[in-house]
Amino acid sequence: MDTSSDEADDWFIDSLNTYKDLHVFQLEHPTKVIEWTGDKRICVAGYTGARSEILELLLPLKLYAGDNQGLCAERDFKVQHGGFSEEPVECLIHIPETRFVVTSGGSSPALQIWDIGGDDSDVIKRTGVINPKSTSAKCGKIASGLTENPTVLHGSYTSDVQLTELATGRVLYTVGNESSDLVSGLQFVNACVFLICTSNGALLMGDIRDPLTCHYPLKESMSGLHWCFGLRTSSSQSDPSLCTIARLSSSGHMVLSDLRDLQNPFCQTQLNVQHSSAKNEFLIVSWASVLDSCLSVSGFDGTVQVYNTRNWSTEAQTPQPVFSHRGHDMSYEAKCSGSRPVVTTHAWHPSRPNTLLSAATDGSVHVWDWVDKTTDT
Amino acid sequence: MPEIKVTPLGAGQDVGRSCILVSIGGKNIMLDCGMHMGYNDDRRFPDFSYITQNGRLTEFLDCVIISHFHLDHCGALPYMSEMVGYDGPIYMTHPTKAICPILLEDFRKITVDKKGETNFFTAQMIKDCMKKVVPLNLHQTVQVDEELEIKAYYAGHVLGAAMVQIKVGLESVVYTGDYNMTPDRHLGAAWIDKCRPDILISESTYATTIRDSKRCRERDFLKKVHETVERGGKVLIPVFALGRAQELCILLETFWERMNLKAPIYFSTGLTEKANHYYKLFITWTNQKIRKTFVQRNMFEFKHIKAFDRAYADNPGPMVVFATPGMLHAGQSLHIFKKWAGNEKNMVIMPGYCVQGTVGHKILNGQKKLEMEGRSTLDVKLQVEYMSFSAHADAKGIMQLIRMAEPRNMLLVHGEAKKMEFLKDKIEQEFDISCFMPANGETTTVVTNPNVPVDISLNLLKREMALGGPLPDSKRPRTMHGTLIMKDNSLRLVSPEQALKELGLSEHQLRFTCRVQLHDSHSDSDTLGRIYTYLKSALKNYGVQHLPDSTVIVESIVIKVTSSPEEPNLKVILLSWSYQDEELGSFLSTLLKKGLPS
């Protein structure tokens, strides 16, 4: 069966120069989450059915073979552990230093706690549930606490965000905020300080030692847009002066702020993207783990765009990406099904500078190592 | 209860020695007879002592079926048939029959000549073994004997690979061998109909893998070849005559054309002849695209690929050469390798598994110095690349196959049961079937529930439908009366009247009569009336009638009252019923014996 089109062929041929490594996989069901659970392992989970699979996958060994890469023919993912969730999985986070992940999804704010398991079994078992007292029917966003005692910060609206201790289910902290904005993301900056980004682009900064939070709305309100955020830290216990926050809107506005001065963003710009309000749920902005000043954006279409923000100034301009991953658009499955796939999520590799993983609505998962053509090295 | 037994014979849990025994309907079948390539001693052979402690296997096996020519599926065949002893039929597809002996002979030469093994099969044994082979065509049912039949299905994977259905009566098993569900450049995808076997047997390693796409593997190949050629190096690709070679040639040809590359690509002539020969024989086994190409021109009339001459190996500058044999163990590919190994700009790409003892195996294990004949050593400075192109199914593929075949049970071999619980759950829940995972040497027994088809007569059906309501109605099950006639090989359900007619019998009626004595001073007809009233209230669910001819009828039971003139107060109640109403009849007689209420 002739499965290629000319455009796809061209792209693959070009990829010989534009990528160092490229792996294309097809999952049975699409995933909205890619979460690192170890140096070489990720978790993915289904969101399209009543019964969703959660899988822990081992990345292809060829990526880790180093100098002996030529002698390793192993290019496939290995399914290490798997489990079933009765609800679709919208969010999945890993609790560092443990084998636990926490998921949320479906039409309630309840969270599920799972034990991925060790060598003796391949089943991911649900070990607990957190039932927040919120009355909302929306599933919550989750972030892992950064203390030794495993905790999760979660909530669907700013009024119901709380910090829960995993082992006991005890609520250790609740955000004392009157307003009830929809939460688009939350994350800890260090063991005590956390950030919440609301759907309308405002940032809230809080400290678990203090019930009050500081509210930093966007200067010019752009209604009708959905915002998400990405936090860049150099380590989990970092000095706040090294934190940069990127906020991205569903029409491509990008706002960069320094944690020391959230009131006044140091850069605002407009990315060249197609606005589509239908895909707010897939909008992601993510800072590179190793490369300085690089961030990546996805959720608008079937591509992942990588930008270098170093040369962005405060004036409005349209920056060009240093790299655009078009693999999901060029896949065979996309051609067949009629509707073009949209990238649901992407993640940077924690230690390999140019390696990313991305997933799309057609069930594809790509692992790619892009070549930076803008530098001379 | 009828049952099917499956026992994988391969040792250890690792893949590499496929040999599965199936007992079905009193027949014993061996599926594949592979060699484990990692061991040098008897562990490389399957453990045949499970079948019988000593002696030949002929009387214990009805047939042996080989799925494809890879050594981990057929490598132990000559050992089994000639050294252990088996004279029955060995089934395999035509391409497998043609290619197997070549691979076995190569393998034998390497093992005996290079490694000096002694307890190994001889060249004559391979020949004698192949004489027992009966070739199979796709989708053709073959009667092994009166009760056992087998059928081969297309499996993809390699040329001639088949999935096999084994059937005895209404019980069947399908064994997949190695297969893949996505077509590639020269082979189609596996296909099977909704044959609903009792058991589908497959490899568990597939189910825990999510495979990188074919295009990415090809991309890696092209990238490596391109980089080597760009820096002026030479690329050696050792291949077996068939399959992979064609695919890589097509790929390179397309690439060279697109990129307008000038470096020469060569294909050794021995390869061309052999390949053409095989393709002519087995054209139906390749996919549409290859068939079209082959019809239009000779397989190897490529624009950019030319026939190789030994002398070219010394030419300066970049080039790509495809040469046999595939494991660098002898011949032209080894000759070229020796010439090119010393230059780090060059590259050798191994597109498949190499048997122990070959140069291919050694360099894939990272060996940098090789001992050649005449005590000379060869420094391996060229780049060694191991690429796996073999087409295997994966987690998604296994689910697709189950959907296609709709087995009643699933059985996965070569896996560790405790590490496969998730997969077992997944299959059991998605398809509502049981999933078994026997360890090597462990027998799984699956109880089958074969359906016995019975024809129902039209009259009987019409009669049932006349009773009203849709059929079948699971909320209101009804008892149906009929007669089962088993004649010759057919089973029919007919109405009792029709059965009697067919058998030339007349229907007999059986009626019971019972007399109950009762003291009652009323007249006969009044007593009857009292009986009627009593029964009417006592038997609310039954039809009780008082007829003008002085009888009370309960359903079909007739009740009369008589008395003798000498003793008018001693009433005799006559009850009469046919044997179908036996229960109600005896109930009534017991009830009336207790007397009437006053």
Side-chain angles (χ1 to χ4, degrees), chain A residues 6 9-10 12-13 15-16 19-20 22-28 51 53 55 62 70-71 73 75-79 82-84 119-123, chain B residues 183 208-213 215-217 219-220 222-223 255 258-259 363-364 366 384-386 388 396 399 403 418-422 425-426 429:
Chain A
D6 280 340
D9 275 345
D10 283 341
F12 262 97
I13 298 292
S15 78
L16 262 66
Y19 295 83
K20 194 162 143 280
L22 177 64
H23 296 254
V24 166
F25 301 94
Q26 191 62 39
L27 296 177
E28 258 190 278
R51 239 174 144 258
E53 264 178 31
L55 300 172
K62 202 170 168 69
L71 299 180
R75 298 184 63 91
D76 306 325
F77 269 126
K78 287 272 182 281
V79 179
F84 292 101
D119 282 334
D120 54 345
S121 155
D122 71 329
V123 178
Chain B
T208 50
T209 307
I210 298 181
R211 287 186 73 79
D212 189 11
S213 70
R215 300 211 84 176
C216 285
R217 290 170 205 272
R219 177 197 169 269
D220 201 28
L222 291 176
K223 192 163 151 63
F255 185 60
R258 207 186 201 105
M259 306 287 279
I363 61 174
L364 285 180
V384 179
E385 287 284 331
Y386 184 19
S388 157
K396 189 172 169 209
M399 304 303 269
R403 243 167 251 133
K418 74 174 180 198
K419 296 216 176 142
M420 315 260 347
E421 216 187 302
F422 167 63
D425 277 346
K426 190 170 139 146
Q429 283 172 41

Coordinates of all heavy atoms in Angstrom, one line a residue, chain A residues 6 9-10 12-13 15-16 19-20 22-28 51 53 55 62 70-71 73 75-79 82-84 119-123, chain B residues 183 208-213 215-217 219-220 222-223 255 258-259 363-364 366 384-386 388 396 399 403 418-422 425-426 429:
Chain A
D6 N 3.7 13.2 -1.5 CA 5.0 13.9 -1.8 C 5.4 14.8 -0.7 O 6.6 14.9 -0.4 CB 4.8 14.7 -3.1 CG 4.9 13.8 -4.3 OD1 5.5 12.7 -4.2 OD2 4.5 14.2 -5.4
D9 N 6.9 12.8 2.0 CA 8.2 12.3 1.6 C 9.2 13.4 1.7 O 10.3 13.2 2.2 CB 8.1 11.8 0.1 CG 7.6 10.4 0.0 OD1 7.6 9.7 1.1 OD2 7.3 10.0 -1.1
D10 N 8.9 14.6 1.2 CA 9.9 15.7 1.2 C 10.3 16.0 2.7 O 11.4 16.2 3.0 CB 9.2 16.9 0.6 CG 9.2 16.9 -0.9 OD1 9.9 16.1 -1.4 OD2 8.4 17.7 -1.5
F12 N 10.3 14.0 5.2 CA 11.1 13.0 5.7 C 12.5 13.1 5.2 O 13.5 12.8 5.9 CB 10.5 11.6 5.4 CG 9.8 11.0 6.6 CD1 8.4 11.1 6.7 CD2 10.5 10.4 7.7 CE1 7.7 10.6 7.8 CE2 9.8 9.9 8.8 CZ 8.4 10.0 8.8
I13 N 12.6 13.4 3.9 CA 14.0 13.5 3.4 C 14.7 14.7 4.0 O 15.8 14.6 4.4 CB 13.9 13.7 1.8 CG1 13.3 12.5 1.2 CG2 15.3 14.0 1.3 CD1 14.1 11.2 1.2
S15 N 14.2 15.8 6.9 CA 14.5 15.5 8.3 C 15.9 14.9 8.5 O 16.4 14.9 9.6 CB 13.4 14.6 8.8 OG 13.7 13.2 8.4
L16 N 16.5 14.4 7.4 CA 17.8 13.9 7.6 C 18.8 14.9 8.0 O 19.7 14.7 8.8 CB 18.3 13.3 6.2 CG 18.2 11.8 6.0 CD1 16.7 11.4 6.0 CD2 18.9 11.4 4.8
Y19 N 16.9 16.9 11.8 CA 16.8 16.2 13.1 C 18.0 15.3 13.2 O 18.4 14.7 12.3 CB 15.6 15.3 13.1 CG 14.2 16.0 13.1 CD1 13.7 16.4 11.9 CD2 13.5 16.2 14.3 CE1 12.4 17.0 11.9 CE2 12.3 16.9 14.3 CZ 11.8 17.2 13.1 OH 10.5 17.8 13.1
K20 N 18.5 15.2 14.4 CA 19.5 14.2 14.7 C 18.8 12.8 14.9 O 19.2 11.8 14.2 CB 20.3 14.6 16.0 CG 21.6 13.8 16.1 CD 22.4 14.6 17.1 CE 23.2 13.6 18.0 NZ 22.5 13.1 19.1
L22 N 14.9 10.8 15.2 CA 13.5 11.0 15.1 C 12.8 9.6 15.2 O 13.2 8.7 14.6 CB 13.2 11.6 13.7 CG 11.7 11.7 13.3 CD1 11.0 12.7 14.2 CD2 11.5 12.2 11.9
H23 N 11.9 9.6 16.1 CA 11.1 8.3 16.3 C 9.6 8.7 16.3 O 9.2 9.7 16.9 CB 11.4 7.8 17.7 CG 12.8 7.3 17.9 ND1 13.2 6.0 17.9 CD2 13.9 8.0 18.1 CE1 14.5 5.9 18.2 NE2 15.0 7.1 18.3
V24 N 8.9 7.9 15.6 CA 7.4 8.1 15.4 C 6.7 6.9 15.9 O 6.9 5.8 15.4 CB 7.1 8.4 13.9 CG1 5.6 8.4 13.7 CG2 7.6 9.8 13.5
F25 N 5.8 7.1 16.9 CA 5.0 6.0 17.4 C 3.5 6.2 17.3 O 3.1 7.4 17.2 CB 5.4 5.8 18.9 CG 6.8 5.5 19.1 CD1 7.7 6.6 19.5 CD2 7.3 4.3 19.1 CE1 9.0 6.4 19.7 CE2 8.7 4.0 19.3 CZ 9.5 5.1 19.6
Q26 N 2.8 5.1 17.4 CA 1.4 5.3 17.3 C 0.8 4.5 18.5 O 0.9 3.3 18.6 CB 0.9 4.6 16.0 CG -0.6 4.9 15.7 CD -0.9 6.3 15.5 OE1 0.0 7.1 14.9 NE2 -2.0 6.8 16.0
L27 N 0.1 5.3 19.4 CA -0.5 4.7 20.5 C -1.9 4.3 20.1 O -2.5 4.8 19.1 CB -0.7 5.7 21.7 CG 0.6 6.2 22.3 CD1 0.2 7.2 23.4 CD2 1.4 5.1 23.0
E28 N -2.5 3.3 20.8 CA -3.9 2.9 20.5 C -4.9 4.1 20.7 O -5.8 4.2 20.0 CB -4.3 1.8 21.4 CG -4.2 0.4 20.8 CD -4.9 -0.6 21.6 OE1 -4.2 -1.1 22.5 OE2 -6.1 -0.9 21.4
R51 N -13.2 4.3 29.7 CA -12.2 3.6 30.4 C -10.9 3.9 29.7 O -10.6 3.6 28.6 CB -12.4 2.1 30.2 CG -12.6 1.5 31.5 CD -13.0 0.1 31.5 NE -12.3 -0.6 32.6 CZ -11.2 -1.3 32.5 NH1 -10.7 -1.6 31.3 NH2 -10.6 -1.8 33.5
E53 N -6.6 4.1 29.6 CA -5.4 3.4 30.0 C -4.4 4.4 30.5 O -4.2 5.4 29.8 CB -4.8 2.7 28.8 CG -5.2 1.3 28.6 CD -4.6 0.7 27.4 OE1 -3.5 1.1 26.9 OE2 -5.2 -0.2 26.8
L55 N -0.3 4.4 30.9 CA 0.9 3.5 30.6 C 2.1 4.2 31.1 O 2.3 5.4 30.9 CB 1.0 3.3 29.1 CG -0.2 2.7 28.4 CD1 0.0 2.7 26.9 CD2 -0.4 1.2 28.8
K62 N 18.0 3.1 22.2 CA 19.0 3.6 21.3 C 19.3 5.1 21.6 O 20.4 5.5 21.4 CB 18.4 3.6 19.9 CG 19.4 3.7 18.8 CD 18.8 3.4 17.4 CE 19.7 3.8 16.3 NZ 20.9 2.9 16.1
G70 N 25.4 3.0 17.4 CA 25.3 2.2 16.2 C 25.0 0.8 16.4 O 24.4 0.1 15.6
L71 N 25.5 0.3 17.6 CA 25.3 -1.2 17.8 C 24.0 -1.5 18.5 O 23.6 -2.6 18.7 CB 26.5 -1.7 18.7 CG 27.8 -1.5 18.2 CD1 28.9 -2.0 19.1 CD2 28.0 -2.2 16.8
A73 N 20.1 -1.6 18.2 CA 19.1 -1.5 17.2 C 17.7 -1.2 17.8 O 16.7 -1.0 17.1 CB 19.0 -2.8 16.4
R75 N 14.7 0.6 18.9 CA 14.1 1.9 18.6 C 12.7 2.0 19.2 O 12.0 3.0 18.9 CB 14.0 2.1 17.1 CG 15.3 2.1 16.3 CD 15.0 2.4 14.9 NE 14.5 3.8 14.7 CZ 15.2 4.9 14.6 NH1 16.5 4.8 14.5 NH2 14.6 6.0 14.4
D76 N 12.3 1.0 19.9 CA 10.9 0.9 20.3 C 10.7 1.3 21.8 O 11.5 1.2 22.6 CB 10.3 -0.5 20.1 CG 10.5 -1.0 18.7 OD1 10.5 -0.1 17.8 OD2 10.8 -2.2 18.5
F77 N 9.4 1.7 22.1 CA 9.0 2.0 23.4 C 8.7 0.6 24.0 O 8.1 -0.2 23.4 CB 7.7 2.8 23.5 CG 7.9 4.2 23.5 CD1 7.3 5.1 22.6 CD2 8.6 4.8 24.6 CE1 7.4 6.4 22.7 CE2 8.7 6.2 24.6 CZ 8.1 7.0 23.7
K78 N 9.0 0.4 25.3 CA 8.5 -0.8 26.0 C 7.5 -0.4 27.0 O 7.7 0.6 27.8 CB 9.7 -1.4 26.7 CG 10.7 -2.1 25.8 CD 10.3 -3.5 25.5 CE 11.3 -4.2 24.6 NZ 11.2 -3.9 23.2
V79 N 6.4 -1.1 27.0 CA 5.4 -0.8 28.0 C 5.8 -1.5 29.3 O 5.9 -2.7 29.4 CB 4.0 -1.4 27.6 CG1 3.0 -1.1 28.6 CG2 3.6 -0.8 26.3
G82 N 1.0 -0.7 33.3 CA -0.2 -0.2 32.8 C -1.3 -0.3 33.8 O -1.3 -1.2 34.7
G83 N -2.4 0.5 33.7 CA -3.5 0.5 34.5 C -4.7 1.1 33.9 O -4.6 1.7 32.8
F84 N -5.8 0.9 34.5 CA -7.1 1.5 33.9 C -7.7 2.5 34.8 O -7.8 2.3 36.0 CB -8.1 0.4 33.7 CG -7.7 -0.6 32.7 CD1 -7.1 -1.8 33.0 CD2 -7.8 -0.3 31.3 CE1 -6.7 -2.7 32.0 CE2 -7.4 -1.2 30.3 CZ -6.8 -2.4 30.7
D119 N 9.3 -3.8 40.0 CA 9.7 -4.8 39.1 C 8.8 -6.1 39.2 O 8.9 -6.9 38.3 CB 11.2 -5.3 39.4 CG 12.1 -4.3 38.8 OD1 11.7 -3.6 37.9 OD2 13.2 -4.2 39.4
D120 N 8.1 -6.2 40.3 CA 7.5 -7.5 40.5 C 6.1 -7.5 39.9 O 5.4 -8.6 39.8 CB 7.4 -7.8 42.0 CG 6.7 -6.6 42.7 OD1 6.6 -5.5 42.1 OD2 6.3 -6.8 43.9
S121 N 5.6 -6.4 39.4 CA 4.2 -6.4 38.8 C 4.2 -5.4 37.7 O 4.9 -4.4 37.8 CB 3.2 -6.2 39.9 OG 2.0 -5.6 39.3
D122 N 3.3 -5.5 36.8 CA 3.2 -4.5 35.7 C 1.9 -3.8 35.8 O 1.5 -3.1 34.8 CB 3.4 -5.1 34.3 CG 2.2 -6.0 33.9 OD1 1.6 -6.6 34.8 OD2 2.0 -6.0 32.7
V123 N 1.2 -3.9 36.9 CA -0.1 -3.2 37.0 C 0.0 -1.9 37.8 O 0.7 -1.9 38.8 CB -1.1 -4.1 37.7 CG1 -2.4 -3.4 37.9 CG2 -1.3 -5.4 36.9
Chain B
P183 N 1.6 -2.9 6.4 CA 2.3 -3.3 5.2 C 3.6 -2.6 5.1 O 3.7 -1.4 5.6 CB 1.3 -3.0 4.1 CG 0.5 -1.9 4.6 CD 0.4 -2.1 6.1
T208 N 4.0 -5.9 24.5 CA 4.6 -4.9 25.4 C 5.5 -4.0 24.7 O 6.3 -3.3 25.3 CB 5.4 -5.6 26.6 OG1 6.3 -6.5 26.0 CG2 4.5 -6.3 27.5
T209 N 5.4 -4.0 23.4 CA 6.2 -3.1 22.6 C 5.4 -2.1 21.9 O 4.3 -2.4 21.4 CB 7.0 -3.9 21.6 OG1 7.7 -4.9 22.2 CG2 8.0 -3.0 20.9
I210 N 5.8 -0.8 21.7 CA 5.2 0.1 20.8 C 6.3 0.4 19.8 O 7.3 1.1 20.1 CB 4.7 1.3 21.6 CG1 3.7 0.9 22.6 CG2 4.1 2.3 20.6 CD1 3.1 2.1 23.4
R211 N 6.1 0.0 18.6 CA 7.1 0.1 17.6 C 7.3 1.4 16.9 O 6.3 2.0 16.5 CB 6.9 -1.0 16.5 CG 7.2 -2.4 17.1 CD 7.1 -3.5 16.0 NE 8.2 -3.4 15.1 CZ 9.4 -3.9 15.3 NH1 9.7 -4.5 16.5 NH2 10.4 -3.9 14.4
D212 N 8.5 1.8 16.7 CA 8.9 3.0 16.0 C 8.5 2.7 14.5 O 8.5 1.6 14.0 CB 10.4 3.2 16.0 CG 10.8 4.5 15.5 OD1 10.0 5.3 15.2 OD2 12.0 4.7 15.3
S213 N 8.0 3.8 13.9 CA 7.5 3.6 12.5 C 8.6 3.1 11.5 O 9.8 3.3 11.7 CB 6.9 4.9 12.0 OG 8.0 5.8 11.7
R215 N 9.1 4.3 8.6 CA 9.7 5.5 8.0 C 10.9 6.0 8.8 O 11.9 6.4 8.2 CB 8.7 6.6 7.8 CG 7.5 6.2 7.0 CD 7.0 7.3 6.2 NE 7.7 7.6 5.0 CZ 7.3 8.5 4.1 NH1 6.3 9.2 4.4 NH2 8.0 8.6 3.0
C216 N 10.8 5.9 10.1 CA 11.9 6.4 10.9 C 13.1 5.5 10.8 O 14.2 5.9 10.9 CB 11.5 6.6 12.4 SG 10.5 8.1 12.6
R217 N 12.8 4.2 10.7 CA 13.9 3.2 10.6 C 14.6 3.5 9.2 O 15.8 3.5 9.1 CB 13.4 1.8 10.6 CG 12.9 1.4 11.9 CD 12.2 0.0 11.8 NE 11.3 -0.1 12.9 CZ 11.6 -0.6 14.1 NH1 12.8 -1.0 14.3 NH2 10.7 -0.6 15.1
R219 N 14.6 6.2 7.6 CA 15.2 7.5 7.7 C 16.6 7.4 8.3 O 17.6 7.9 7.8 CB 14.4 8.5 8.5 CG 15.0 9.8 8.7 CD 14.3 10.5 9.9 NE 15.1 11.7 10.2 CZ 16.1 11.7 11.1 NH1 16.4 10.6 11.8 NH2 16.8 12.8 11.3
D220 N 16.7 6.6 9.3 CA 18.0 6.3 10.0 C 19.0 5.7 9.0 O 20.1 6.0 8.9 CB 17.7 5.4 11.2 CG 18.8 5.5 12.2 OD1 19.5 6.6 12.3 OD2 19.1 4.5 12.9
L222 N 18.9 5.8 5.7 CA 19.3 6.8 4.6 C 20.3 7.8 5.2 O 21.2 8.2 4.5 CB 18.1 7.5 4.1 CG 17.1 6.6 3.3 CD1 15.9 7.5 2.9 CD2 17.8 6.1 2.0
K223 N 20.0 8.2 6.4 CA 20.9 9.2 7.0 C 22.3 8.7 7.1 O 23.3 9.4 6.8 CB 20.3 9.6 8.4 CG 21.0 10.8 9.1 CD 20.1 11.2 10.2 CE 20.8 11.9 11.3 NZ 21.4 13.2 10.9
F255 N 15.8 7.6 -3.1 CA 16.5 8.6 -2.4 C 17.6 9.3 -3.3 O 17.7 10.5 -3.4 CB 17.2 8.0 -1.2 CG 17.9 9.0 -0.3 CD1 17.3 10.0 0.3 CD2 19.3 8.8 -0.1 CE1 17.9 10.9 1.1 CE2 20.0 9.7 0.8 CZ 19.3 10.8 1.4
R258 N 15.9 11.5 -5.9 CA 15.4 12.8 -5.3 C 16.6 13.7 -4.9 O 16.5 14.9 -5.1 CB 14.7 12.4 -4.0 CG 13.7 13.4 -3.6 CD 13.1 13.1 -2.3 NE 11.8 13.8 -2.3 CZ 10.7 13.2 -2.4 NH1 10.6 11.9 -2.4 NH2 9.6 13.8 -2.4
M259 N 17.7 13.2 -4.4 CA 18.8 14.0 -4.0 C 19.8 14.2 -5.1 O 20.8 14.9 -4.8 CB 19.5 13.4 -2.8 CG 18.6 13.1 -1.6 SD 18.0 14.5 -0.8 CE 19.4 14.8 0.3
I363 N 31.3 -8.4 15.3 CA 31.4 -6.9 15.2 C 30.1 -6.3 15.8 O 30.2 -5.2 16.4 CB 31.6 -6.4 13.8 CG1 30.4 -6.8 12.8 CG2 32.9 -6.8 13.2 CD1 30.6 -6.1 11.4
L364 N 29.0 -6.9 15.8 CA 27.8 -6.4 16.5 C 28.0 -6.4 18.0 O 27.3 -5.7 18.7 CB 26.6 -7.1 16.1 CG 26.1 -6.8 14.7 CD1 24.8 -7.5 14.3 CD2 25.8 -5.3 14.5
G366 N 30.7 -5.5 19.3 CA 31.7 -4.5 19.6 C 33.1 -4.9 19.4 O 34.0 -4.1 19.7
V384 N 30.2 0.5 12.5 CA 29.3 -0.6 12.5 C 27.9 -0.2 12.9 O 27.7 0.4 14.0 CB 29.8 -1.8 13.4 CG1 28.8 -2.9 13.4 CG2 31.2 -2.2 13.0
E385 N 26.9 -0.4 12.1 CA 25.6 0.0 12.4 C 24.6 -1.2 12.4 O 24.6 -2.0 11.4 CB 25.0 1.0 11.4 CG 25.7 2.4 11.5 CD 25.1 3.2 12.6 OE1 23.9 3.0 13.0 OE2 25.8 4.0 13.2
Y386 N 23.9 -1.4 13.4 CA 22.9 -2.5 13.5 C 21.6 -1.9 13.3 O 21.1 -1.1 14.1 CB 23.1 -3.2 14.9 CG 22.2 -4.4 15.1 CD1 21.7 -5.2 14.0 CD2 22.0 -4.9 16.4 CE1 20.9 -6.3 14.3 CE2 21.3 -6.0 16.6 CZ 20.7 -6.7 15.6 OH 20.0 -7.9 15.8
S388 N 17.5 -2.8 12.7 CA 16.5 -3.9 12.7 C 15.3 -3.4 11.8 O 14.6 -2.5 12.1 CB 16.0 -4.2 14.1 OG 14.8 -4.8 14.1
K396 N -0.6 -2.5 19.7 CA -1.8 -2.2 18.9 C -2.1 -3.3 17.9 O -3.3 -3.6 17.7 CB -1.5 -0.9 18.2 CG -2.7 -0.3 17.5 CD -2.3 1.1 17.0 CE -3.5 1.6 16.1 NZ -3.1 2.5 15.0
M399 N -4.0 -6.3 19.3 CA -5.5 -6.0 19.5 C -6.2 -6.1 18.2 O -7.3 -6.5 18.1 CB -5.7 -4.6 20.2 CG -4.9 -4.5 21.5 SD -5.3 -5.7 22.8 CE -6.6 -4.9 23.7
R403 N -9.3 -8.6 17.1 CA -10.5 -8.1 16.6 C -10.9 -8.8 15.3 O -12.0 -9.0 15.0 CB -10.4 -6.6 16.3 CG -11.3 -5.7 17.2 CD -10.9 -4.3 17.1 NE -10.4 -3.8 18.4 CZ -9.3 -3.1 18.6 NH1 -8.6 -2.7 17.5 NH2 -8.9 -2.8 19.8
K418 N 3.9 -12.8 35.7 CA 3.6 -11.8 36.7 C 3.9 -10.4 36.1 O 3.5 -9.4 36.6 CB 4.4 -12.0 37.9 CG 5.9 -11.7 37.8 CD 6.6 -11.9 39.1 CE 8.1 -11.6 39.0 NZ 8.9 -12.0 40.1
K419 N 4.7 -10.4 35.0 CA 4.9 -9.1 34.3 C 3.9 -8.8 33.2 O 4.1 -7.9 32.4 CB 6.3 -9.1 33.8 CG 7.4 -9.2 34.8 CD 8.6 -8.4 34.5 CE 9.6 -8.4 35.6 NZ 11.0 -8.5 35.2
M420 N 2.9 -9.6 33.1 CA 2.0 -9.5 32.0 C 0.6 -9.3 32.5 O -0.4 -9.4 31.7 CB 2.0 -10.7 31.0 CG 3.4 -11.1 30.8 SD 4.1 -10.6 29.2 CE 2.8 -10.0 28.3
E421 N 0.4 -9.0 33.8 CA -0.9 -8.9 34.3 C -1.8 -7.8 33.7 O -2.9 -8.0 33.4 CB -0.8 -8.6 35.8 CG -1.9 -9.3 36.6 CD -1.8 -8.9 38.1 OE1 -0.8 -9.1 38.7 OE2 -2.9 -8.4 38.5
F422 N -1.1 -6.7 33.4 CA -1.9 -5.6 32.8 C -2.4 -6.0 31.4 O -3.6 -5.7 31.1 CB -0.9 -4.3 32.6 CG -1.5 -3.3 31.8 CD1 -2.7 -2.6 32.1 CD2 -0.9 -2.9 30.6 CE1 -3.2 -1.6 31.3 CE2 -1.4 -1.9 29.8 CZ -2.6 -1.3 30.1
D425 N -5.3 -8.3 31.8 CA -6.5 -7.6 32.1 C -7.1 -6.9 30.9 O -8.3 -6.9 30.7 CB -6.2 -6.5 33.1 CG -6.1 -7.0 34.5 OD1 -6.6 -8.1 34.7 OD2 -5.6 -6.3 35.4
K426 N -6.2 -6.2 30.2 CA -6.6 -5.5 29.0 C -7.4 -6.3 28.0 O -8.5 -6.0 27.5 CB -5.4 -4.8 28.4 CG -5.7 -3.8 27.3 CD -4.4 -3.1 27.0 CE -4.5 -2.9 25.5 NZ -3.8 -1.7 25.1
Q429 N -10.7 -7.7 29.5 CA -11.8 -6.7 29.6 C -12.2 -6.2 28.3 O -13.4 -6.0 28.1 CB -11.3 -5.5 30.5 CG -11.3 -6.0 31.9 CD -10.7 -4.9 32.8 OE1 -10.9 -3.7 32.6 NE2 -9.9 -5.3 33.8

